[in-house]
Amino acid sequence: MDSSARERPGPRRGGASPPLRSAPGSHREGEMEDGICKQEMLQKKNAVLVDGVVLNGPIMDSKAGEKFVEEACNIIMEKVIQKADDVTEKVCEWQDPETLKQILDLEMRDAGESHQKLLQLCQDVIQYSVKTSHPRFFNQLYAGIDYYSLVARFITEALNPSVYTYEVSPVFLLVEEAVIKKMIEFIGWEEGDGIFNPGGSVSNMYAMNLARYKFCPEIKEKGLSGLPRLVLFTSEECHYSMKKAASFLGIGTENVYFIKADERGKMIPEELEKQVQRARKEGSAPFLVCATAGTTVLGAFDPLDKIADICEKHGLWLHVDASWGGSALISRKHCRLLHGIHRADSVAWNPHKMLLAGIQCCALLVKDNSGLLKKCYSAKAAYLFQQDKFYDVSYDTGDKSIQCSRRPDAFKFWLMWKALGTTGLEERVNRALALARYLVEEIKKREGFQLLLEPEYANVCFWYIPPSLRKMEDGPEFWQKLHQVSCHISSVICSLLIYLYAR
Amino acid sequence: MAESSWLERPGLDKAAGEEFLREAFQVLLDEAVRKGTDVTEKVCDWKEPQELRELLDLELRSSGELPERLLERCRDVIRYSVKTCHPRFFNQLFSGLDHHALAGRLITETLNTSQYTYEIAPVFVLMEEVVLAKLRELVGWSSGDGIFCPGGSISNMYAMNVARFHHFPESRQKGSWALPRLALFTSRESHYSIQKGAAFLGIGTDNVHLVGTDERGKMIPEELEKEIQRVKAEGAKPFFVCATCGTTVLGAFDPLDGIADICQRHGLWFHVDAAWGGSALLSSKHRHLLTGIERADSVAWNPHKMLTVGLQCSAFLLRDTSGLLQRCHGAGATYLFQPDKFYDVTYDTGDKTLQCGRRVDCLKLWLLWKAAGTEGLARRVERAFAYTRYLAKEVKRRDGFQLVLEPEFINLCFWFVPPSLRGREGSPDYWPRLGKVAPAIKERMMRKGSMMVGYQPHGARVNFFRQIVTNPTVTKDDLDFFLDEIERLGQDL
């Protein structure tokens, strides 16, 4: 660094400023500037005032701010991290909404609060939040804590980057590229493309739009009005984001044809063939089949090979929503669940689910390597994707996205992978499925528990039948009472789902 | 079974993990937070892509690495990342670091939850409502609806979709193929997400009609009226107008009252993309720029831009109180939004969104607001305006600097004319040569690591710098340095 940049030695932020919040009680950030700094500056007669604002004095006390961050992190360590595996702690500290509103002091006021009050607010937020890292949190398709992913997330929060161009986000862009390449390897493609998205729902929308663009590139400019009716196919067990996607993209929820699933929750290929034929006869334009690898409720895997055959025969884009089940690809023991996935045109895969990468970490992978993703999505904004930069602008991959600013979601997965290695991640998947196997055996052994179906993944679906209902005859009254049992116990759904993680 | 004894042990080494977390946090605090905001450190440590790839050793292998190696990696990642919190990072519409917001972000990461239901995220579901209500209050609405979205582009797309649904409720089921050709209108200075949105939603970029702007980059209402008439005459169906408050390059504010009148007359949905300029609403001195915003049907506003809250924090606000957002997007998935829960399920707001899993974006803004108060945030906004005022004055004063236009917001657009070109405005190659100056200076500043500022061509104008200061720790010295450095780097061009 030449001397022009070294205007004064050492960090100059906040060092000489008086402590911001040394006393409890209400504090005003403005007071610091108005009361102390402005006074001092005006007294020194070298204050630069523009529009009543002092330009050459600090507005923030960095030392106090850093102290706050450190103290907040102590709270995080003590109240969340250290307790993460403590089964004697509660998973949730239930309060009904009206009561919680009173407890939390959510109101946003004109004046700022004191340092101590702010720390207390942090504690309250943590106390009344559900501990998704608790060993007995089984509610959703994510749980647990990975320290490496957490460190990576802390780093990205501190750096606050946006992953649109190499100039602004060199490291995270290259990391994303490397992670996508690795994920593609596990799918079984030699090459491909991809991007990280804010959620599996968004990944599915990307795929739907990409398939539509491939089918008819003109739609990007001309829109759908006046075109033949586009139709897509997905299992009746698919994730609800398919419907939301169809409506958002202008395709229409009526034009999502749901294919029947068998008693194990898997799409029936013969039914798919029937529906495609039906759609053709109607004069509509089938363009996409979305298979699910790991359905949300039952954890079912659609038969990808047979579905791929049908797609090939009819020239349809095959997207595999492997948001939940994709992580099985990392396990040599269990990757057979996704046999045939390499025949897909696109795959959605969320490492934030079974691999504990941290919300959000969702990739859309695309087999095409001809720049289809870019052609479909780019807008070539001149203020961001200038062509006359001094480096190779093909690195500015942000234009492949529907987003402008975008979070570096691949990095936490990368650091975790570096820490654990493929072997470590594989163990994680194997462990989760072994835990599921153990739970299933227990359920079969114990009285009063009834398995819904034999799981092939980590979703264990069962009923708990209380003693009062065990002698009852199977019939509508029995099921109604049983339904209420589940509601009373846990508020989840009429069968309890447990998603197992490596903990 | 051997398998079950393996299962009796936990799968993670907690002690090692916590140790790593503690050490890494120290690295983060020193290298990213302290050094990143230190004016004596570099803004960026430039490396060519191929070289950086090798330095980072990106390959993902089958075995894991030791903590020491991982910590080294953390240091490398921080070192080679651009310090967007540096007082001399002026490149984008966000910069700086607020410690309270950062604490909020770290808590968010640790709690690692999704914001769909009250049962899963009780604190955040309630908090999001309070934060959105506060933003709506500043817009001028005492009631309404809204949600946080992953970015302003998606907020704009929500607006487009809700508007389409409002005009054509059947489009949700039937799709747009059965609708007449839709038309939407926005200024030629608008953000490109309107184009991306139109393509994504199946409306088509050809049906985005760009309305002419004046010499200050503001939409001309008479032109809007003309466009609407023209498009109607062609048989298309206008349904949506997007006005911009704070355009990306020039920082222009469209005249909202004039546009609102036209929307009212034609029965069109009036959306205001205030992703960038919305924060001016916090300042009583400057909120006049958004006069008329309360007449909008929807507003996009990104606190992650001017308020230093951290990516992402983008609010989509709606005036509607009839549950339009829920009707437009709700799918009622039975595994998540069960109607028979033991609490009031109207608190399960997640079904209003397009997403299923959704990050908690409200905590960082809430904590920042609690720390600074509305008044503290207003002061930050006013400070940013004052910086720009000062810079504009300096640019006018200094030789070789030429303002593109007088800023009304905090985008300061100017050319630097090196000595070799001064006085040569008449020569035919003046502009092409001037257009090469900004990229050259940018390259030099990045290789040196002294600062970062953006440039772009715009309409007929060749490359000019677009200076943005939102970082509240920037002072006059940094601004003087900025202009001095451009002079230094461009002297011999």
Side-chain angles (χ1 to χ4, degrees):
Chain A
M1 286 279 278
D2 70 16
S3 59
S4 58
R6 290 190 181 282
E7 306 222 2
R8 53 191 65 73
R12 75 170 153 84
R13 307 278 157 227
S17 313
L20 198 55
R21 295 172 185 93
S22 50
S26 169
H27 158 78
R28 289 164 176 271
E29 184 184 271
E31 266 174 15
M32 192 252 166
E33 182 191 310
D34 291 350
I36 300 159
C37 244
K38 202 169 181 177
Q39 243 179 344
E40 272 181 11
M41 300 303 318
L42 290 172
Q43 275 163 13
K44 288 180 186 170
K45 290 196 171 79
N46 62 357
V48 175
L49 269 168
V50 175
D51 289 354
V53 175
V54 180
L55 277 197
N56 51 341
I59 194 168
M60 274 164 50
D61 182 340
S62 299
K63 280 278 175 285
E66 279 167 24
K67 182 160 183 279
F68 184 80
V69 171
E70 280 173 310
E71 292 186 26
C73 278
N74 288 340
I75 295 175
I76 287 173
M77 281 303 290
E78 201 190 303
K79 305 280 181 194
V80 188
I81 308 290
Q82 280 160 357
K83 292 187 177 174
D85 69 344
D86 189 346
V87 297
T88 67
E89 292 284 329
K90 286 183 175 182
V91 178
C92 63
E93 182 124 3
W94 172 261
Q95 300 289 341
D96 68 78
E98 289 308 313
T99 312
L100 191 54
K101 274 186 199 166
Q102 307 299 326
I103 296 174
L104 286 176
D105 181 27
L106 292 168
E107 193 192 338
M108 292 147 79
R109 303 184 182 92
D110 286 344
E113 309 267 8
S114 72
H115 182 90
Q116 285 312 317
K117 179 72 200 292
L118 294 168
L119 286 173
Q120 185 58 51
L121 290 172
C122 291
Q123 297 216 47
D124 292 343
V125 163
I126 289 172
Q127 182 178 349
Y128 294 102
S129 287
V130 171
K131 304 301 180 296
T132 64
S133 48
H134 194 286
R136 288 158 192 188
F137 176 79
F138 303 117
N139 218 59
Q140 310 295 146
L141 299 188
Y142 63 86
I145 195 166
D146 179 276
Y147 300 98
Y148 307 101
S149 138
L150 188 61
V151 161
R153 288 181 279 143
F154 276 20
I155 290 173
T156 55
E157 291 308 326
L159 291 171
N160 195 42
S162 179
V163 192
Y164 22 50
T165 58
Y166 183 82
E167 70 178 82
V168 178
S169 194
V171 173
F172 300 115
L173 213 121
L174 293 181
V175 164
E176 184 178 49
E177 196 187 67
V179 173
I180 286 173
K181 189 151 164 259
K182 193 71 180 177
M183 292 171 89
I184 278 172
E185 230 177 83
F186 278 88
I187 291 173
W189 297 333
E190 296 226 350
E191 48 180 22
D193 201 350
I195 196 150
F196 273 79
N197 296 313
S201 301
V202 178
S203 292
N204 286 339
M205 286 181 204
Y206 261 80
M208 202 179 280
N209 189 44
L210 199 60
R212 176 173 68 179
Y213 178 77
K214 177 85 196 275
F215 181 75
C216 180
E218 283 187 348
I219 291 178
K220 183 176 175 180
E221 287 95 47
K222 306 226 173 302
L224 290 168
S225 178
L227 285 189
R229 181 170 63 96
L230 291 175
V231 166
L232 64 111
F233 308 86
T234 187
S235 144
E236 61 188 358
E237 293 285 314
C238 73
H239 188 260
Y240 71 90
S241 58
M242 295 310 293
K243 271 177 106 168
K244 292 205 177 194
S247 119
F248 197 60
L249 266 51
I251 292 169
T253 55
E254 266 176 17
N255 301 314
V256 179
Y257 286 15
F258 294 102
I259 310 299
K260 283 209 200 71
D262 63 19
E263 71 289 350
R264 304 202 58 200
K266 297 158 167 298
M267 194 199 286
I268 303 170
E270 294 74 20
E271 290 294 319
L272 173 62
E273 174 68 37
K274 266 200 224 153
Q275 290 294 328
V276 175
Q277 301 279 10
R278 174 193 141 208
R280 284 248 147 83
K281 279 206 188 74
E282 288 170 352
S284 68
F287 76 106
L288 165 71
V289 173
C290 174
T292 316
T295 58
T296 317
V297 176
L298 302 179
F301 286 69
D302 288 343
L304 300 179
D305 279 301
K306 294 217 173 93
I307 293 170
D309 289 338
I310 296 172
C311 290
E312 239 162 80
K313 175 173 158 205
H314 292 281
L316 307 176
W317 182 285
L318 173 58
H319 172 64
V320 177
D321 178 5
S323 298
W324 176 216
S327 299
L329 286 170
I330 303 220
S331 159
R332 283 165 291 184
K333 190 169 176 199
H334 299 288
C335 62
R336 58 176 171 75
L337 288 166
L338 298 107
H339 193 274
I341 197 171
H342 65 283
R343 297 177 65 190
D345 295 297
S346 59
V347 174
W349 176 357
N350 291 8
H352 73 228
K353 290 184 155 70
M354 194 180 251
L355 297 177
L356 279 63
I359 286 162
Q360 279 170 318
C361 189
C362 311
L364 173 74
L365 291 333
V366 179
K367 197 198 295 190
D368 170 275
N369 203 35
S370 74
L372 185 67
L373 199 52
K374 183 150 190 213
K375 285 195 275 247
C376 178
Y377 287 109
S378 76
K380 303 195 179 86
Y383 79 90
L384 194 54
F385 302 105
Q386 300 86 332
Q387 297 302 295
D388 55 4
K389 293 188 188 180
F390 65 100
Y391 59 89
D392 178 0
V393 294
S394 65
Y395 283 96
D396 288 351
T397 47
D399 212 13
K400 290 198 269 193
S401 170
I402 57 166
Q403 298 180 279
C404 179
S405 66
R406 195 164 63 94
R407 290 177 55 86
D409 289 331
F411 177 59
K412 52 204 175 202
F413 190 28
W414 181 85
L415 193 67
M416 192 172 74
W417 202 314
K418 279 292 195 186
L420 300 175
T422 315
T423 320
L425 293 176
E426 181 183 43
E427 261 168 37
R428 201 165 267 191
V429 174
N430 290 346
R431 189 186 169 86
L433 298 186
L435 286 168
R437 181 81 14 242
Y438 170 78
L439 199 62
V440 165
E441 295 308 311
E442 279 297 302
I443 286 173
K444 287 182 187 166
K445 266 195 268 176
R446 293 186 187 213
E447 240 207 281
F449 286 84
Q450 189 178 320
L451 209 57
L452 203 92
L453 66 100
E454 191 77 35
E456 56 177 351
Y457 198 46
N459 305 40
V460 180
C461 300
F462 65 95
W463 287 282
Y464 172 67
I465 304 169
S468 63
L469 295 181
R470 279 173 211 171
K471 297 280 189 298
M472 214 178 189
E473 286 256 328
D474 194 332
E477 201 196 332
F478 170 77
W479 288 110
Q480 200 209 13
K481 287 210 153 101
L482 188 60
H483 180 92
Q484 277 155 13
V485 165
S486 300
C487 300
H488 190 68
I489 292 177
S490 81
S491 91
V492 185
I493 47 177
C494 65
S495 54
L496 290 168
L497 299 192
I498 294 200
Y499 303 105
L500 279 314
Y501 298 88
R503 231 86 64 89
Chain B
M1 285 192 295
E3 212 178 53
S4 60
S5 69
W6 163 52
L7 295 182
E8 271 158 42
R9 287 174 281 112
L12 282 175
D13 184 342
K14 185 165 182 276
E18 283 180 20
E19 179 60 32
F20 181 73
L21 184 57
R22 256 186 280 270
E23 292 186 25
F25 178 68
Q26 215 36 63
V27 168
L28 182 169
L29 206 58
D30 292 333
E31 308 288 322
V33 178
R34 292 188 180 121
K35 280 202 184 149
T37 52
D38 183 347
V39 77
T40 65
E41 298 282 337
K42 286 183 173 185
V43 179
C44 59
D45 196 334
W46 172 260
K47 294 278 176 245
E48 297 294 325
Q50 201 35 50
E51 194 189 346
L52 186 56
R53 265 210 196 100
E54 278 152 36
L55 275 166
L56 292 174
D57 176 33
L58 295 166
E59 195 194 335
L60 295 170
R61 302 185 180 94
S62 58
S63 51
E65 295 177 343
L66 294 171
E68 297 74 42
R69 179 73 183 101
L70 295 170
L71 277 174
E72 214 181 285
R73 287 191 181 286
C74 293
R75 287 199 178 85
D76 289 342
V77 163
I78 294 171
R79 178 174 166 191
Y80 297 111
S81 287
V82 169
K83 304 301 180 294
T84 65
C85 47
H86 195 285
R88 288 154 193 193
F89 175 81
F90 305 117
N91 217 60
Q92 308 295 147
L93 301 187
F94 70 89
S95 62
L97 182 142
D98 179 275
H99 297 93
H100 296 98
L102 177 61
R105 302 202 291 275
L106 299 180
I107 295 172
T108 302
E109 291 305 326
T110 312
L111 290 173
N112 193 44
T113 195
S114 183
Q115 208 171 312
Y116 21 54
T117 58
Y118 182 82
E119 69 179 85
I120 273 302
V123 172
F124 302 123
V125 161
L126 298 180
M127 191 185 279
E128 185 177 50
E129 288 307 305
V130 168
V131 176
L132 290 172
K134 191 71 181 176
L135 298 177
R136 282 195 298 264
E137 196 190 296
L138 289 161
V139 165
W141 299 334
S142 56
S143 59
D145 201 348
I147 201 100
F148 276 96
C149 296
S153 300
I154 290 181
S155 294
N156 285 339
M157 291 183 204
Y158 264 74
M160 216 181 274
N161 192 42
V162 172
R164 175 174 58 181
F165 175 75
H166 171 73
H167 277 86
F168 305 99
E170 71 279 18
S171 65
R172 193 188 145 155
Q173 284 98 277
K174 297 208 175 305
S176 287
W177 71 281
L179 296 181
R181 185 162 66 93
L182 298 178
L184 63 109
F185 305 84
T186 190
S187 108
R188 61 182 70 247
E189 296 287 317
S190 66
H191 190 260
Y192 69 87
S193 56
I194 304 297
Q195 316 278 32
K196 288 207 177 192
F200 204 55
L201 266 56
I203 293 169
T205 56
D206 285 354
N207 298 312
V208 177
H209 300 276
L210 298 177
V211 180
T213 52
D214 63 18
E215 69 290 347
R216 306 200 59 200
K218 296 160 168 296
M219 194 195 288
I220 302 169
E222 295 73 28
E223 292 294 318
L224 172 62
E225 177 67 39
K226 264 199 228 156
E227 259 312 279
I228 293 173
Q229 301 285 9
R230 185 185 70 78
V231 159
K232 270 183 160 163
E234 285 175 357
K237 186 87 179 68
F239 77 106
F240 178 83
V241 172
C242 173
T244 315
C245 279
T247 58
T248 317
V249 178
L250 302 179
F253 284 68
D254 289 340
L256 300 181
D257 272 312
I259 295 169
D261 290 338
I262 295 172
C263 289
Q264 219 167 303
R265 196 160 50 244
H266 292 278
L268 309 180
W269 184 280
F270 180 32
H271 172 64
V272 176
D273 177 4
W276 177 215
S279 298
L281 288 169
L282 283 158
S283 159
S284 51
K285 250 194 235 170
H286 300 291
R287 56 176 294 132
H288 66 90
L289 289 168
L290 297 104
T291 301
I293 195 172
E294 70 285 355
R295 299 177 64 189
D297 293 301
S298 58
V299 173
W301 176 356
N302 290 10
H304 71 230
K305 288 183 156 67
M306 209 174 183
L307 301 181
T308 324
V309 140
L311 267 54
Q312 276 161 324
C313 192
S314 173
F316 172 62
L317 306 169
L318 270 176
R319 185 150 48 108
D320 170 84
T321 50
S322 76
L324 182 62
L325 196 54
Q326 172 67 35
R327 286 197 307 279
C328 180
H329 294 134
T334 54
Y335 77 91
L336 195 55
F337 302 107
Q338 301 84 337
D340 55 6
K341 290 188 190 182
F342 67 98
Y343 59 88
D344 177 0
V345 295
T346 59
Y347 283 97
D348 287 352
T349 48
D351 208 16
K352 293 199 259 196
T353 84
L354 288 172
Q355 298 178 275
C356 175
R358 189 165 65 97
R359 282 181 58 83
V360 172
D361 287 330
C362 59
L363 176 61
K364 56 203 176 197
L365 179 57
W366 182 82
L367 199 55
L368 164 63
W369 211 300
K370 280 294 201 183
T374 316
E375 282 168 13
L377 294 179
R379 243 172 293 277
R380 284 192 198 184
V381 170
E382 282 158 18
R383 195 178 168 90
F385 275 90
Y387 292 144
T388 310
R389 194 78 43 240
Y390 173 75
L391 271 176
K393 220 176 44 165
E394 280 294 298
V395 162
K396 287 186 214 168
R397 192 180 63 80
R398 294 185 185 215
D399 265 343
F401 286 87
Q402 192 184 321
L403 215 54
V404 172
L405 82 156
E406 190 74 38
E408 62 174 346
F409 193 37
I410 66 173
N411 302 38
L412 185 76
C413 299
F414 66 94
W415 287 283
F416 174 69
V417 185
S420 68
L421 282 182
R422 282 175 210 173
R424 307 281 223 71
E425 292 83 350
S427 99
D429 65 347
Y430 176 78
W431 290 107
R433 285 176 67 187
L434 187 60
K436 294 196 165 54
V437 169
I441 294 178
K442 178 75 181 273
E443 177 177 357
R444 289 175 176 188
M445 73 175 70
M446 285 200 66
R447 287 187 187 283
K448 191 176 166 193
S450 55
M451 63 186 197
M452 280 181 71
V453 64
Y455 71 83
Q456 65 285 298
H458 192 69
R461 295 168 171 135
V462 303
N463 286 325
F464 55 86
F465 288 111
R466 179 197 67 173
Q467 159 69 310
I468 308 274
V469 191
T470 59
N471 186 343
T473 63
V474 166
T475 66
K476 177 186 161 300
D477 289 331
D478 296 307
L479 304 181
D480 290 337
F481 172 84
F482 169 69
L483 294 173
D484 292 340
E485 183 74 348
I486 295 221
E487 272 173 357
R488 269 189 293 267
L489 294 173
Q491 217 34 244
D492 63 339
L493 287 175

